[in-house]
């Protein structure tokens, strides 16, 4: 599965905050369902966020902020 594209939907395939808007939240939920269905855990999610951050050339501040956003969102799923 192309996890970068799947998690990217939660960021509006750009630099939006993870799951912030309704359409992004729907895509973030689809990502979360796929993670659970695949039997993945937080380490995998963290790797997906880091890969997406690398793809988007995020600085450390943006990466840290979004990691916390994703952690908060995913806490209900993992």
């Amino acid at each position: 599965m192309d996890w970068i594209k799947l998690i990217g939907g939660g960021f509006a395939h750009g630099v939006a905050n993870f799951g912030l808007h309704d359409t992004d939240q729907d895509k973030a939920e689809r990502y979360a369902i796929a993670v659970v269905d695949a039997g993945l855990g937080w380490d995998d999610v963290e790797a997906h966020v880091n890969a997406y951050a690398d793809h988007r050339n995020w600085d450390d501040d943006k990466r840290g902020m979004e990691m916390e956003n994703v952690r908060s969102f995913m806490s209900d799923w993992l």
Side-chain angles (χ1 to χ4, degrees), residues 14-76:
V15 296
N17 293 342
F18 189 77
L20 182 65
H21 301 290
D22 289 341
T23 56
D24 303 337
Q25 186 171 14
D26 181 56
K27 292 174 185 172
E29 287 175 1
R30 284 190 229 159
Y31 169 75
I33 290 167
V35 165
V36 170
D37 287 349
L40 303 180
W42 173 250
D43 289 343
D44 301 296
V45 172
E46 189 175 42
H48 299 158
V49 173
N50 279 319
Y52 187 78
D54 290 345
H55 178 73
R56 289 290 177 182
N57 297 313
W58 288 351
D59 63 24
D60 290 342
D61 289 337
K62 174 69 172 169
R63 184 183 302 256
M65 180 184 72
E66 291 305 338
M67 193 67 74
E68 287 306 312
N69 288 340
V70 173
R71 184 185 315 272
S72 176
F73 183 88
M74 292 299 294
S75 68
D76 292 338

Side-chain angles (χ1 to χ4, degrees), residues 1-9 13 31 34 40 48 51-52 55:
M1 179 167 295
D2 189 345
W3 293 102
I4 290 177
K5 287 183 181 177
L6 192 56
I7 197 169
H13 295 288
Y31 169 75
L40 303 180
H48 299 158
Y52 187 78
H55 178 73

